[in-house]
Amino acid sequence: MKGKDDFVNVMAGGPFEGSGRGQVKRQSVSQQIQESLRARILSLELEPGQNLSRGEIADYYGVSQTPVRDAMMRLEEEGLLVIFPQSKTEVSKIDVAQARETQFLRMSLEIEVAKTLIRAGNPELLAPVDSLLAQMQRAFEEGDLQGFAELDRRFHRALFEAAGVAPLWELVTGRSGHIDRLRKLNLPDPGKVAEILGYHQRIVAAIRAGESGKAESELRGHLTGTLAKADEISLRHPEYF
């Protein structure tokens, strides 16, 4: 496990590589910092329980502490940071109960997404999804876990986009920090990548065939897989929980 005060070293090589100055195009400074921190929390580069110094972060980016504070407050609202006033800020531990709540929301939405696509009956809507499936197959064959994980997220987003409800995907991802970290720990397990790919292929096949019940069954199996192993994962990585 990384040292509690290794934040600056952890950030090296990220999207703010270098002094961090002059990197504020298109987005506010606070939003960029929030997204950078969030990505590193979800990837476990910033580990649960790790202390984050507002001053060190501000120095690294070459900004005042105000945008850093704002970014941290939004990450606390997501449940990814725990701020102890006048004391310290830590990356939150993985909360399995919160992960289950998010998964309940996501499952409800994705089942309706599948049904919407079935009712639409337009195979062309699935073209982006098919492309992502092919890319996932290549990533699987090449053993590219990081690339596979990114394509996995893009696959599910593409389903929401195809159904015309992309903003709902943003709603889900804004609450998915705990379940995403669980998945990060689960993905390297033997057979997990193949399992995910198989579910994705069967989900798309069921949607294309108009089989609503089959699509729902495959989605339920897919989206509960990691949580079914939450106890096992927590036993292997107790410091994260």
Side-chain angles (χ1 to χ4, degrees):
M1 184 172 181
K2 300 177 182 67
K4 300 296 184 180
D5 298 310
D6 283 348
F7 175 78
V8 174
N9 290 332
V10 169
M11 292 301 295
F16 290 86
E17 186 173 0
S19 68
R21 300 180 186 276
Q23 303 288 332
V24 293
K25 298 177 182 178
R26 295 185 301 276
Q27 297 176 320
S28 70
V29 177
S30 178
Q31 185 178 357
Q32 288 190 74
I33 294 171
Q34 178 189 356
E35 292 183 1
S36 180
L37 289 174
R38 189 178 197 276
R40 281 157 175 76
I41 291 170
L42 298 190
S43 71
L44 299 176
E45 289 182 32
L46 297 178
E47 298 179 342
Q50 185 170 342
N51 181 52
L52 304 185
S53 165
R54 188 192 301 176
E56 288 183 3
I57 298 170
D59 288 345
Y60 181 81
Y61 289 131
V63 299
S64 72
Q65 292 194 24
T66 299
V68 175
R69 180 200 63 201
D70 294 343
M72 285 183 160
M73 289 176 65
R74 288 195 294 272
L75 289 169
E76 183 183 39
E77 290 173 0
E78 286 190 46
L80 295 179
L81 292 181
V82 180
I83 298 175
F84 300 91
Q86 310 303 321
S87 179
K88 62 182 177 178
T89 297
E90 290 184 352
V91 178
S92 68
K93 299 283 189 175
I94 297 174
D95 185 335
V96 176
Q98 201 277 344
R100 293 187 190 282
E101 291 177 4
T102 300
Q103 206 66 345
F104 182 91
L105 171 65
R106 179 174 173 181
M107 187 180 301
S108 300
L109 290 174
E110 291 214 31
I111 287 171
E112 288 306 313
V113 162
K115 290 179 178 178
T116 297
L117 290 171
I118 289 171
R119 287 194 296 269
N122 183 357
E124 293 183 5
L125 291 175
L126 295 175
V129 178
D130 290 336
S131 175
L132 288 165
L133 273 179
Q135 293 176 61
M136 292 184 77
Q137 179 69 43
R138 287 195 295 273
F140 166 61
E141 293 170 356
E142 295 169 1
D144 180 5
L145 279 183
Q146 183 174 347
F148 187 92
E150 175 59 27
L151 289 165
D152 182 15
R153 287 188 288 271
R154 289 171 58 191
F155 171 87
H156 287 279
R157 180 188 179 93
L159 289 174
F160 279 73
E161 290 174 344
V165 291
L168 293 180
W169 175 250
E170 302 303 327
L171 172 66
V172 171
T173 55
R175 297 176 53 86
S176 66
H178 295 284
I179 186 65
D180 283 349
R181 290 186 289 174
L182 267 175
R183 289 196 187 97
K184 175 71 174 179
L185 295 171
N186 186 205
L187 189 61
D189 289 350
K192 183 61 179 179
V193 173
E195 176 187 287
I196 292 172
L197 183 59
Y199 271 121
H200 284 190
Q201 292 168 337
R202 292 191 297 274
I203 289 165
V204 174
I207 292 173
R208 182 170 278 110
E211 299 176 346
S212 180
K214 175 67 171 175
E216 178 174 343
S217 175
E218 295 294 346
L219 277 166
R220 288 186 181 278
H222 176 38
L223 296 178
T224 57
T226 293
L227 280 172
K229 295 186 176 180
D231 290 344
E232 176 186 329
I233 294 169
S234 65
L235 286 174
R236 293 204 310 265
H237 305 278
E239 69 277 16
Y240 290 169
F241 295 81

